[in-house]
Amino acid sequence: MCKINFDFLISHAKVYGFIFPSSEIYGGLNAVYDYGPHGVELKNNIKKFWWKSMTQLHENIIGLDSSIIMHSDVWHASGHVDKFNELLIDNKDSKKRYRPEILIQEYVEKNFLNNPKKKEEILSRLFQSLQNQNLGELKILIDELCICDPIFKTKNWTEIRHFNMMYKIKNEKDLYLRPETAQGIFSNFHNILKSTRIKIPFGIAQIGKSFRNEIFARKFIFRMREFEQMEMQYFILPEEEIKWYEYWRKNRLKWHLELNLENKQSYKLCDHDHLAHYENVGSDIEFHFPFGFKEIEGIHSRRDFDLKNHEFFSKKKLRIFESKRNYIPYVIETSLGLDRLFLAIFSSSLKKEKLKNGKIRVVLKFPYYLSPIQAAIFPLVRKDGLPEIAKKIFYDLKIHHRLVYDEKESIGKLYRRQDAIGTPFCFTVDYDTIKTDTVTMRNRDSMKQKRIYIKEISNIIEQETGLKKIFKKLSYFI
Ligand code: ATP
């Protein structure tokens, strides 16, 4: 196995139609990307997998698709107008903006690798300053450590200030693009309760776009300004907060582990030491991306923070009425970034393998059920009636499965191309097919081939690449 570097990954994603830089013909746009023909299939499969695991496997989790633009009071009630801020520092020479805490963290990681005591001392000062929102002390740290602009190498910094991360819609007083999907769930709480008569504990799941004016947008699709979230808000009795928080932390980690990306050591569950404005306790599931361990999903106890504030601002009752009690439920949130999960799956599946003949093959070893294409159908050669047989198999089966038919190159090249986009199986029609009604079936990972009957193809694709197998496993712990 050969090592993959990040630039190779980005280039593979582009060349094979997974991810393109947005507006590339006009020079691109920082931290915005488009999903190409194979990317959109993979992304849709990930969404379907998450959606079904949440709504179909749990009896008491239902779905919602709320709008991106909401009444401005939503964002006042949720605290985003006042508190959804990042810290910002500008370098006057490079005119670049940075997050001061990240500048300090990266400096410490780089320069105090062999001096853990000093590293701990600085990180603890950083943590204290963030806790107390002491921006002056943060600036002193940057000056003391003589931290330079990473590009211009100068120390000509502005003061540190707060910066709200919501995108405001121009010419629309007080309207924003949503920075999280969750508020659509809270503002529909009453409608959902009334229209479904669902009982506590229950969850509402949603997949949708969110927008954040990220100052430090880097690392490909890991941190973008327009991204997608897969969120679930679980409404519970207030006294059961810790029980459900613990349940969802463990449940979500197990879900990730069942994806079987790399190995168990690729995940970490980390408690938040810096809480967001809405949360009481929280933790992150971190994944080992090509640039290190980083958050992929957050699990937060939002208590009654959101519903209570929406009650106050909207003057509507957002509570549960039971025989002897009326209360605002607590909420445990699971919030997963679709694009980050895409990157985790893509980066851990992309392999360069050295073959026995010394050549290198590039293969995307996606979990079968997520692959953009489930199987490819080829004729061995473009003559003697083989393409006609292969096309008939393709047309008969394409209504059931995501398939491609290809005959443009030699069989070896056709296999390599399917490896490079992660297709688990290739079925090839050859001269024996005419006599025996059989084809060769080639497996992406082992590259082994065997003969099977044409009539078996559909079943094999369904069993091997459908969601049934993985759902059976998941249903044990859900
Ligand atoms: P980070 O600390 O990395 O900025 P966050 O703690 O602000 O993330 P949350 O507000 O908890 O993130 O959002 C939930 C999930 O949404 C994150 O775990 C992540 O997967 C995803 N996410 C958040 N911001 C972005 C972004 N700018 N680009 C892509 N995904 C994002």
Side-chain angles (χ1 to χ4, degrees), residues 84 86 99 212 214 221-225 227-229 231 272 278 284 295-298 300 333 335-340:
F84 194 54
E86 290 286 4
R99 282 170 59 182
R212 294 183 188 178
E214 297 277 5
I221 57 169
F222 177 81
R223 188 177 297 286
M224 293 193 285
R225 294 191 284 161
F227 57 98
E228 250 176 295
Q229 290 182 308
E231 295 199 303
H272 285 185
Y278 51 76
D284 292 336
E295 171 178 347
I296 186 165
E297 173 159 4
H300 319 118
E333 164 181 79
S335 180
L336 171 61
L338 172 54
D339 312 271
R340 288 193 190 175

PDB file of all heavy atoms in Angstrom, residues 84 86 99 212 214 221-225 227-229 231 272 278 284 295-298 300 333 335-340, ligand 1:
ATOM      1  N   PHE A  84     -23.351  34.227  18.253  1.00  0.00           N
ATOM      2  CA  PHE A  84     -22.711  33.293  17.325  1.00  0.00           C
ATOM      3  C   PHE A  84     -21.496  33.975  16.689  1.00  0.00           C
ATOM      4  O   PHE A  84     -21.463  34.314  15.515  1.00  0.00           O
ATOM      5  CB  PHE A  84     -23.711  32.837  16.262  1.00  0.00           C
ATOM      6  CG  PHE A  84     -23.251  31.647  15.483  1.00  0.00           C
ATOM      7  CD1 PHE A  84     -22.853  30.482  16.117  1.00  0.00           C
ATOM      8  CD2 PHE A  84     -23.214  31.679  14.096  1.00  0.00           C
ATOM      9  CE1 PHE A  84     -22.416  29.375  15.397  1.00  0.00           C
ATOM     10  CE2 PHE A  84     -22.779  30.585  13.360  1.00  0.00           C
ATOM     11  CZ  PHE A  84     -22.391  29.442  14.017  1.00  0.00           C
ATOM     12  N   GLU A  86     -17.154  34.512  16.346  1.00  0.00           N
ATOM     13  CA  GLU A  86     -15.790  33.975  16.436  1.00  0.00           C
ATOM     14  C   GLU A  86     -14.892  35.152  16.755  1.00  0.00           C
ATOM     15  O   GLU A  86     -15.263  36.306  16.543  1.00  0.00           O
ATOM     16  CB  GLU A  86     -15.343  33.403  15.089  1.00  0.00           C
ATOM     17  CG  GLU A  86     -16.035  32.148  14.663  1.00  0.00           C
ATOM     18  CD  GLU A  86     -15.599  30.909  15.420  1.00  0.00           C
ATOM     19  OE1 GLU A  86     -14.779  31.018  16.369  1.00  0.00           O
ATOM     20  OE2 GLU A  86     -16.107  29.832  15.085  1.00  0.00           O
ATOM     21  N   ARG A  99      -8.219  33.406  12.984  1.00  0.00           N
ATOM     22  CA  ARG A  99      -8.777  33.209  14.318  1.00  0.00           C
ATOM     23  C   ARG A  99      -7.609  33.137  15.274  1.00  0.00           C
ATOM     24  O   ARG A  99      -6.751  32.249  15.155  1.00  0.00           O
ATOM     25  CB  ARG A  99      -9.612  31.928  14.356  1.00  0.00           C
ATOM     26  CG  ARG A  99     -10.975  32.166  13.721  1.00  0.00           C
ATOM     27  CD  ARG A  99     -11.729  30.898  13.514  1.00  0.00           C
ATOM     28  NE  ARG A  99     -11.951  30.183  14.761  1.00  0.00           N
ATOM     29  CZ  ARG A  99     -12.578  29.007  14.817  1.00  0.00           C
ATOM     30  NH1 ARG A  99     -13.024  28.443  13.727  1.00  0.00           N
ATOM     31  NH2 ARG A  99     -12.762  28.401  15.971  1.00  0.00           N
ATOM     32  N   ARG A 212     -22.113  29.551   7.010  1.00  0.00           N
ATOM     33  CA  ARG A 212     -21.351  30.263   8.039  1.00  0.00           C
ATOM     34  C   ARG A 212     -20.213  31.032   7.377  1.00  0.00           C
ATOM     35  O   ARG A 212     -19.513  30.488   6.522  1.00  0.00           O
ATOM     36  CB  ARG A 212     -20.744  29.286   9.059  1.00  0.00           C
ATOM     37  CG  ARG A 212     -21.804  28.586   9.859  1.00  0.00           C
ATOM     38  CD  ARG A 212     -21.203  27.672  10.910  1.00  0.00           C
ATOM     39  NE  ARG A 212     -22.271  26.896  11.512  1.00  0.00           N
ATOM     40  CZ  ARG A 212     -22.110  25.973  12.438  1.00  0.00           C
ATOM     41  NH1 ARG A 212     -20.894  25.703  12.892  1.00  0.00           N
ATOM     42  NH2 ARG A 212     -23.131  25.321  12.928  1.00  0.00           N
ATOM     43  N   GLU A 214     -17.127  31.562   7.598  1.00  0.00           N
ATOM     44  CA  GLU A 214     -15.938  31.025   8.269  1.00  0.00           C
ATOM     45  C   GLU A 214     -14.721  31.875   7.922  1.00  0.00           C
ATOM     46  O   GLU A 214     -14.430  32.106   6.759  1.00  0.00           O
ATOM     47  CB  GLU A 214     -15.683  29.582   7.824  1.00  0.00           C
ATOM     48  CG  GLU A 214     -16.775  28.598   8.179  1.00  0.00           C
ATOM     49  CD  GLU A 214     -16.661  28.083   9.607  1.00  0.00           C
ATOM     50  OE1 GLU A 214     -15.784  28.572  10.349  1.00  0.00           O
ATOM     51  OE2 GLU A 214     -17.473  27.220   9.981  1.00  0.00           O
ATOM     52  N   ILE A 221     -13.163  20.343   1.649  1.00  0.00           N
ATOM     53  CA  ILE A 221     -14.571  20.447   2.043  1.00  0.00           C
ATOM     54  C   ILE A 221     -14.772  20.315   3.549  1.00  0.00           C
ATOM     55  O   ILE A 221     -15.901  20.265   4.021  1.00  0.00           O
ATOM     56  CB  ILE A 221     -15.448  19.403   1.312  1.00  0.00           C
ATOM     57  CG1 ILE A 221     -14.936  17.978   1.578  1.00  0.00           C
ATOM     58  CG2 ILE A 221     -15.474  19.685  -0.180  1.00  0.00           C
ATOM     59  CD1 ILE A 221     -15.886  16.893   1.118  1.00  0.00           C
ATOM     60  N   PHE A 222     -13.673  20.270   4.322  1.00  0.00           N
ATOM     61  CA  PHE A 222     -13.824  20.127   5.781  1.00  0.00           C
ATOM     62  C   PHE A 222     -14.504  21.358   6.376  1.00  0.00           C
ATOM     63  O   PHE A 222     -15.379  21.250   7.232  1.00  0.00           O
ATOM     64  CB  PHE A 222     -12.452  19.927   6.437  1.00  0.00           C
ATOM     65  CG  PHE A 222     -12.549  19.837   7.937  1.00  0.00           C
ATOM     66  CD1 PHE A 222     -12.907  18.652   8.544  1.00  0.00           C
ATOM     67  CD2 PHE A 222     -12.331  20.958   8.741  1.00  0.00           C
ATOM     68  CE1 PHE A 222     -13.046  18.567   9.920  1.00  0.00           C
ATOM     69  CE2 PHE A 222     -12.460  20.888  10.111  1.00  0.00           C
ATOM     70  CZ  PHE A 222     -12.815  19.691  10.703  1.00  0.00           C
ATOM     71  N   ARG A 223     -14.085  22.534   5.951  1.00  0.00           N
ATOM     72  CA  ARG A 223     -14.682  23.764   6.495  1.00  0.00           C
ATOM     73  C   ARG A 223     -15.081  24.651   5.326  1.00  0.00           C
ATOM     74  O   ARG A 223     -14.243  25.248   4.660  1.00  0.00           O
ATOM     75  CB  ARG A 223     -13.678  24.484   7.406  1.00  0.00           C
ATOM     76  CG  ARG A 223     -14.297  25.657   8.153  1.00  0.00           C
ATOM     77  CD  ARG A 223     -13.321  26.296   9.092  1.00  0.00           C
ATOM     78  NE  ARG A 223     -12.863  25.410  10.144  1.00  0.00           N
ATOM     79  CZ  ARG A 223     -13.579  25.040  11.206  1.00  0.00           C
ATOM     80  NH1 ARG A 223     -14.801  25.496  11.362  1.00  0.00           N
ATOM     81  NH2 ARG A 223     -13.089  24.219  12.104  1.00  0.00           N
ATOM     82  N   MET A 224     -16.382  24.707   5.079  1.00  0.00           N
ATOM     83  CA  MET A 224     -16.865  25.495   3.949  1.00  0.00           C
ATOM     84  C   MET A 224     -17.795  26.595   4.439  1.00  0.00           C
ATOM     85  O   MET A 224     -18.228  26.587   5.589  1.00  0.00           O
ATOM     86  CB  MET A 224     -17.622  24.588   2.982  1.00  0.00           C
ATOM     87  CG  MET A 224     -16.715  23.578   2.324  1.00  0.00           C
ATOM     88  SD  MET A 224     -17.517  22.773   0.942  1.00  0.00           S
ATOM     89  CE  MET A 224     -18.611  21.663   1.755  1.00  0.00           C
ATOM     90  N   ARG A 225     -18.115  27.498   3.530  1.00  0.00           N
ATOM     91  CA  ARG A 225     -19.049  28.568   3.904  1.00  0.00           C
ATOM     92  C   ARG A 225     -20.490  28.125   3.656  1.00  0.00           C
ATOM     93  O   ARG A 225     -21.398  28.591   4.292  1.00  0.00           O
ATOM     94  CB  ARG A 225     -18.691  29.835   3.127  1.00  0.00           C
ATOM     95  CG  ARG A 225     -17.301  30.333   3.582  1.00  0.00           C
ATOM     96  CD  ARG A 225     -17.002  31.688   3.071  1.00  0.00           C
ATOM     97  NE  ARG A 225     -16.638  31.659   1.680  1.00  0.00           N
ATOM     98  CZ  ARG A 225     -16.674  32.724   0.891  1.00  0.00           C
ATOM     99  NH1 ARG A 225     -17.103  33.878   1.367  1.00  0.00           N
ATOM    100  NH2 ARG A 225     -16.296  32.640  -0.361  1.00  0.00           N
ATOM    101  N   PHE A 227     -22.528  24.510   3.568  1.00  0.00           N
ATOM    102  CA  PHE A 227     -22.322  23.080   3.818  1.00  0.00           C
ATOM    103  C   PHE A 227     -23.651  22.456   4.223  1.00  0.00           C
ATOM    104  O   PHE A 227     -24.656  23.153   4.349  1.00  0.00           O
ATOM    105  CB  PHE A 227     -21.260  22.872   4.901  1.00  0.00           C
ATOM    106  CG  PHE A 227     -21.563  23.545   6.219  1.00  0.00           C
ATOM    107  CD1 PHE A 227     -22.124  22.829   7.265  1.00  0.00           C
ATOM    108  CD2 PHE A 227     -21.298  24.890   6.397  1.00  0.00           C
ATOM    109  CE1 PHE A 227     -22.408  23.433   8.488  1.00  0.00           C
ATOM    110  CE2 PHE A 227     -21.592  25.515   7.610  1.00  0.00           C
ATOM    111  CZ  PHE A 227     -22.148  24.788   8.650  1.00  0.00           C
ATOM    112  N   GLU A 228     -23.629  21.130   4.399  1.00  0.00           N
ATOM    113  CA  GLU A 228     -24.885  20.464   4.764  1.00  0.00           C
ATOM    114  C   GLU A 228     -24.752  19.774   6.102  1.00  0.00           C
ATOM    115  O   GLU A 228     -23.700  19.202   6.416  1.00  0.00           O
ATOM    116  CB  GLU A 228     -25.266  19.446   3.682  1.00  0.00           C
ATOM    117  CG  GLU A 228     -26.480  19.889   2.911  1.00  0.00           C
ATOM    118  CD  GLU A 228     -26.839  18.978   1.767  1.00  0.00           C
ATOM    119  OE1 GLU A 228     -26.028  18.887   0.832  1.00  0.00           O
ATOM    120  OE2 GLU A 228     -27.903  18.383   1.784  1.00  0.00           O
ATOM    121  N   GLN A 229     -25.830  19.851   6.874  1.00  0.00           N
ATOM    122  CA  GLN A 229     -25.839  19.191   8.183  1.00  0.00           C
ATOM    123  C   GLN A 229     -26.913  18.112   8.212  1.00  0.00           C
ATOM    124  O   GLN A 229     -27.949  18.242   7.551  1.00  0.00           O
ATOM    125  CB  GLN A 229     -26.137  20.213   9.283  1.00  0.00           C
ATOM    126  CG  GLN A 229     -25.009  21.195   9.508  1.00  0.00           C
ATOM    127  CD  GLN A 229     -25.324  22.152  10.642  1.00  0.00           C
ATOM    128  OE1 GLN A 229     -26.375  22.778  10.639  1.00  0.00           O
ATOM    129  NE2 GLN A 229     -24.420  22.276  11.599  1.00  0.00           N
ATOM    130  N   GLU A 231     -28.976  16.696  11.158  1.00  0.00           N
ATOM    131  CA  GLU A 231     -29.166  16.940  12.594  1.00  0.00           C
ATOM    132  C   GLU A 231     -30.400  16.219  13.109  1.00  0.00           C
ATOM    133  O   GLU A 231     -31.373  16.009  12.380  1.00  0.00           O
ATOM    134  CB  GLU A 231     -29.335  18.442  12.857  1.00  0.00           C
ATOM    135  CG  GLU A 231     -28.090  19.239  12.518  1.00  0.00           C
ATOM    136  CD  GLU A 231     -28.063  20.610  13.177  1.00  0.00           C
ATOM    137  OE1 GLU A 231     -29.004  21.393  12.958  1.00  0.00           O
ATOM    138  OE2 GLU A 231     -27.094  20.892  13.894  1.00  0.00           O
ATOM    139  N   HIS A 272     -16.484  18.509  25.377  1.00  0.00           N
ATOM    140  CA  HIS A 272     -16.214  19.931  25.125  1.00  0.00           C
ATOM    141  C   HIS A 272     -15.685  20.571  26.397  1.00  0.00           C
ATOM    142  O   HIS A 272     -16.281  20.400  27.464  1.00  0.00           O
ATOM    143  CB  HIS A 272     -17.526  20.681  24.801  1.00  0.00           C
ATOM    144  CG  HIS A 272     -18.036  20.403  23.419  1.00  0.00           C
ATOM    145  ND1 HIS A 272     -19.127  21.032  22.894  1.00  0.00           N
ATOM    146  CD2 HIS A 272     -17.587  19.575  22.450  1.00  0.00           C
ATOM    147  CE1 HIS A 272     -19.339  20.599  21.672  1.00  0.00           C
ATOM    148  NE2 HIS A 272     -18.430  19.709  21.382  1.00  0.00           N
ATOM    149  N   TYR A 278     -25.516  27.662  23.587  1.00  0.00           N
ATOM    150  CA  TYR A 278     -26.801  27.011  23.862  1.00  0.00           C
ATOM    151  C   TYR A 278     -26.652  25.731  24.670  1.00  0.00           C
ATOM    152  O   TYR A 278     -27.625  25.147  25.094  1.00  0.00           O
ATOM    153  CB  TYR A 278     -27.491  26.671  22.528  1.00  0.00           C
ATOM    154  CG  TYR A 278     -26.581  25.923  21.579  1.00  0.00           C
ATOM    155  CD1 TYR A 278     -26.296  24.578  21.771  1.00  0.00           C
ATOM    156  CD2 TYR A 278     -25.967  26.566  20.514  1.00  0.00           C
ATOM    157  CE1 TYR A 278     -25.441  23.889  20.924  1.00  0.00           C
ATOM    158  CE2 TYR A 278     -25.112  25.892  19.661  1.00  0.00           C
ATOM    159  CZ  TYR A 278     -24.851  24.552  19.874  1.00  0.00           C
ATOM    160  OH  TYR A 278     -23.999  23.886  19.046  1.00  0.00           O
ATOM    161  N   ASP A 284     -17.652  15.903  21.136  1.00  0.00           N
ATOM    162  CA  ASP A 284     -17.454  15.758  19.692  1.00  0.00           C
ATOM    163  C   ASP A 284     -16.990  14.352  19.387  1.00  0.00           C
ATOM    164  O   ASP A 284     -16.191  13.787  20.142  1.00  0.00           O
ATOM    165  CB  ASP A 284     -16.328  16.692  19.204  1.00  0.00           C
ATOM    166  CG  ASP A 284     -16.727  18.151  19.294  1.00  0.00           C
ATOM    167  OD1 ASP A 284     -17.937  18.431  19.279  1.00  0.00           O
ATOM    168  OD2 ASP A 284     -15.806  18.991  19.385  1.00  0.00           O
ATOM    169  N   GLU A 295     -13.206  17.380  14.478  1.00  0.00           N
ATOM    170  CA  GLU A 295     -14.628  17.096  14.721  1.00  0.00           C
ATOM    171  C   GLU A 295     -15.362  16.695  13.448  1.00  0.00           C
ATOM    172  O   GLU A 295     -15.241  17.352  12.414  1.00  0.00           O
ATOM    173  CB  GLU A 295     -15.290  18.353  15.309  1.00  0.00           C
ATOM    174  CG  GLU A 295     -16.788  18.224  15.391  1.00  0.00           C
ATOM    175  CD  GLU A 295     -17.475  19.444  16.008  1.00  0.00           C
ATOM    176  OE1 GLU A 295     -16.779  20.304  16.601  1.00  0.00           O
ATOM    177  OE2 GLU A 295     -18.707  19.518  15.890  1.00  0.00           O
ATOM    178  N   ILE A 296     -16.152  15.626  13.597  1.00  0.00           N
ATOM    179  CA  ILE A 296     -17.033  15.239  12.488  1.00  0.00           C
ATOM    180  C   ILE A 296     -18.493  15.384  12.911  1.00  0.00           C
ATOM    181  O   ILE A 296     -19.358  15.731  12.121  1.00  0.00           O
ATOM    182  CB  ILE A 296     -16.693  13.807  12.000  1.00  0.00           C
ATOM    183  CG1 ILE A 296     -17.481  13.426  10.768  1.00  0.00           C
ATOM    184  CG2 ILE A 296     -16.932  12.749  13.056  1.00  0.00           C
ATOM    185  CD1 ILE A 296     -16.929  12.194  10.067  1.00  0.00           C
ATOM    186  N   GLU A 297     -18.780  15.138  14.217  1.00  0.00           N
ATOM    187  CA  GLU A 297     -20.158  15.234  14.708  1.00  0.00           C
ATOM    188  C   GLU A 297     -20.149  15.762  16.137  1.00  0.00           C
ATOM    189  O   GLU A 297     -19.261  15.411  16.921  1.00  0.00           O
ATOM    190  CB  GLU A 297     -20.817  13.847  14.672  1.00  0.00           C
ATOM    191  CG  GLU A 297     -22.195  13.814  15.326  1.00  0.00           C
ATOM    192  CD  GLU A 297     -23.076  12.645  14.876  1.00  0.00           C
ATOM    193  OE1 GLU A 297     -22.602  11.807  14.102  1.00  0.00           O
ATOM    194  OE2 GLU A 297     -24.243  12.604  15.304  1.00  0.00           O
ATOM    195  N   GLY A 298     -21.139  16.592  16.461  1.00  0.00           N
ATOM    196  CA  GLY A 298     -21.270  17.097  17.826  1.00  0.00           C
ATOM    197  C   GLY A 298     -22.516  16.507  18.478  1.00  0.00           C
ATOM    198  O   GLY A 298     -23.548  16.353  17.826  1.00  0.00           O
ATOM    199  N   HIS A 300     -24.835  17.385  21.755  1.00  0.00           N
ATOM    200  CA  HIS A 300     -24.978  18.446  22.750  1.00  0.00           C
ATOM    201  C   HIS A 300     -26.267  18.296  23.530  1.00  0.00           C
ATOM    202  O   HIS A 300     -27.283  17.921  22.958  1.00  0.00           O
ATOM    203  CB  HIS A 300     -25.025  19.830  22.070  1.00  0.00           C
ATOM    204  CG  HIS A 300     -24.055  19.993  20.945  1.00  0.00           C
ATOM    205  ND1 HIS A 300     -24.441  20.228  19.651  1.00  0.00           N
ATOM    206  CD2 HIS A 300     -22.702  19.939  20.928  1.00  0.00           C
ATOM    207  CE1 HIS A 300     -23.376  20.328  18.869  1.00  0.00           C
ATOM    208  NE2 HIS A 300     -22.303  20.150  19.612  1.00  0.00           N
ATOM    209  N   GLU A 333     -29.062  16.972  21.161  1.00  0.00           N
ATOM    210  CA  GLU A 333     -28.875  17.164  19.721  1.00  0.00           C
ATOM    211  C   GLU A 333     -27.728  16.297  19.214  1.00  0.00           C
ATOM    212  O   GLU A 333     -26.682  16.216  19.865  1.00  0.00           O
ATOM    213  CB  GLU A 333     -28.546  18.634  19.466  1.00  0.00           C
ATOM    214  CG  GLU A 333     -27.960  18.895  18.096  1.00  0.00           C
ATOM    215  CD  GLU A 333     -27.614  20.365  17.889  1.00  0.00           C
ATOM    216  OE1 GLU A 333     -26.563  20.819  18.382  1.00  0.00           O
ATOM    217  OE2 GLU A 333     -28.409  21.044  17.244  1.00  0.00           O
ATOM    218  N   SER A 335     -25.464  16.349  15.780  1.00  0.00           N
ATOM    219  CA  SER A 335     -25.288  17.208  14.617  1.00  0.00           C
ATOM    220  C   SER A 335     -24.060  16.775  13.820  1.00  0.00           C
ATOM    221  O   SER A 335     -22.921  16.941  14.234  1.00  0.00           O
ATOM    222  CB  SER A 335     -25.114  18.654  15.103  1.00  0.00           C
ATOM    223  OG  SER A 335     -24.942  19.490  14.003  1.00  0.00           O
ATOM    224  N   LEU A 336     -24.344  16.186  12.652  1.00  0.00           N
ATOM    225  CA  LEU A 336     -23.274  15.601  11.831  1.00  0.00           C
ATOM    226  C   LEU A 336     -23.129  16.407  10.544  1.00  0.00           C
ATOM    227  O   LEU A 336     -24.128  16.735   9.901  1.00  0.00           O
ATOM    228  CB  LEU A 336     -23.661  14.141  11.522  1.00  0.00           C
ATOM    229  CG  LEU A 336     -22.839  13.357  10.523  1.00  0.00           C
ATOM    230  CD1 LEU A 336     -21.381  13.231  10.969  1.00  0.00           C
ATOM    231  CD2 LEU A 336     -23.413  11.940  10.379  1.00  0.00           C
ATOM    232  N   GLY A 337     -21.893  16.721  10.186  1.00  0.00           N
ATOM    233  CA  GLY A 337     -21.645  17.441   8.938  1.00  0.00           C
ATOM    234  C   GLY A 337     -21.577  16.448   7.790  1.00  0.00           C
ATOM    235  O   GLY A 337     -20.722  15.565   7.778  1.00  0.00           O
ATOM    236  N   LEU A 338     -22.491  16.607   6.827  1.00  0.00           N
ATOM    237  CA  LEU A 338     -22.526  15.680   5.692  1.00  0.00           C
ATOM    238  C   LEU A 338     -21.221  15.740   4.891  1.00  0.00           C
ATOM    239  O   LEU A 338     -20.670  14.716   4.495  1.00  0.00           O
ATOM    240  CB  LEU A 338     -23.737  16.034   4.813  1.00  0.00           C
ATOM    241  CG  LEU A 338     -23.885  15.334   3.479  1.00  0.00           C
ATOM    242  CD1 LEU A 338     -23.861  13.832   3.600  1.00  0.00           C
ATOM    243  CD2 LEU A 338     -25.184  15.772   2.803  1.00  0.00           C
ATOM    244  N   ASP A 339     -20.728  16.953   4.674  1.00  0.00           N
ATOM    245  CA  ASP A 339     -19.513  17.095   3.860  1.00  0.00           C
ATOM    246  C   ASP A 339     -18.297  16.508   4.586  1.00  0.00           C
ATOM    247  O   ASP A 339     -17.404  15.940   3.969  1.00  0.00           O
ATOM    248  CB  ASP A 339     -19.280  18.573   3.536  1.00  0.00           C
ATOM    249  CG  ASP A 339     -20.553  19.226   3.038  1.00  0.00           C
ATOM    250  OD1 ASP A 339     -20.798  19.196   1.829  1.00  0.00           O
ATOM    251  OD2 ASP A 339     -21.330  19.734   3.878  1.00  0.00           O
ATOM    252  N   ARG A 340     -18.293  16.660   5.924  1.00  0.00           N
ATOM    253  CA  ARG A 340     -17.169  16.084   6.678  1.00  0.00           C
ATOM    254  C   ARG A 340     -17.231  14.560   6.652  1.00  0.00           C
ATOM    255  O   ARG A 340     -16.202  13.893   6.562  1.00  0.00           O
ATOM    256  CB  ARG A 340     -17.166  16.599   8.124  1.00  0.00           C
ATOM    257  CG  ARG A 340     -16.751  18.037   8.168  1.00  0.00           C
ATOM    258  CD  ARG A 340     -16.431  18.513   9.561  1.00  0.00           C
ATOM    259  NE  ARG A 340     -16.270  19.963   9.520  1.00  0.00           N
ATOM    260  CZ  ARG A 340     -16.083  20.706  10.574  1.00  0.00           C
ATOM    261  NH1 ARG A 340     -16.011  20.163  11.786  1.00  0.00           N
ATOM    262  NH2 ARG A 340     -15.936  22.024  10.463  1.00  0.00           N
TER     263      ARG A 340
HETATM  264  P1  ATP B   1     -15.950  23.537  14.268  1.00  0.00           P
HETATM  265  O1  ATP B   1     -15.507  23.568  15.711  1.00  0.00           O
HETATM  266  O2  ATP B   1     -15.166  22.553  13.434  1.00  0.00           O
HETATM  267  O3  ATP B   1     -16.087  24.888  13.659  1.00  0.00           O
HETATM  268  P2  ATP B   1     -18.601  23.497  15.240  1.00  0.00           P
HETATM  269  O4  ATP B   1     -18.386  22.969  16.638  1.00  0.00           O
HETATM  270  O5  ATP B   1     -18.801  24.936  15.048  1.00  0.00           O
HETATM  271  O6  ATP B   1     -17.440  22.937  14.283  1.00  0.00           O
HETATM  272  P3  ATP B   1     -21.297  22.593  15.137  1.00  0.00           P
HETATM  273  O7  ATP B   1     -21.867  23.943  15.255  1.00  0.00           O
HETATM  274  O8  ATP B   1     -21.368  21.663  16.307  1.00  0.00           O
HETATM  275  O9  ATP B   1     -19.798  22.687  14.596  1.00  0.00           O
HETATM  276  O10 ATP B   1     -21.941  21.904  13.835  1.00  0.00           O
HETATM  277  C1  ATP B   1     -22.212  20.538  13.747  1.00  0.00           C
HETATM  278  C2  ATP B   1     -21.459  19.868  12.624  1.00  0.00           C
HETATM  279  O11 ATP B   1     -21.609  20.611  11.412  1.00  0.00           O
HETATM  280  C3  ATP B   1     -19.959  19.794  12.858  1.00  0.00           C
HETATM  281  O12 ATP B   1     -19.632  18.670  13.644  1.00  0.00           O
HETATM  282  C4  ATP B   1     -19.436  19.667  11.453  1.00  0.00           C
HETATM  283  O13 ATP B   1     -19.465  18.314  11.024  1.00  0.00           O
HETATM  284  C5  ATP B   1     -20.429  20.451  10.625  1.00  0.00           C
HETATM  285  N1  ATP B   1     -19.865  21.779  10.291  1.00  0.00           N
HETATM  286  C6  ATP B   1     -19.846  22.888  11.080  1.00  0.00           C
HETATM  287  N2  ATP B   1     -19.267  23.920  10.432  1.00  0.00           N
HETATM  288  C7  ATP B   1     -18.925  23.451   9.207  1.00  0.00           C
HETATM  289  C8  ATP B   1     -18.307  24.035   8.068  1.00  0.00           C
HETATM  290  N3  ATP B   1     -17.952  25.320   8.051  1.00  0.00           N
HETATM  291  N4  ATP B   1     -18.098  23.268   6.964  1.00  0.00           N
HETATM  292  C9  ATP B   1     -18.467  21.964   6.953  1.00  0.00           C
HETATM  293  N5  ATP B   1     -19.063  21.360   7.990  1.00  0.00           N
HETATM  294  C10 ATP B   1     -19.299  22.074   9.111  1.00  0.00           C
END
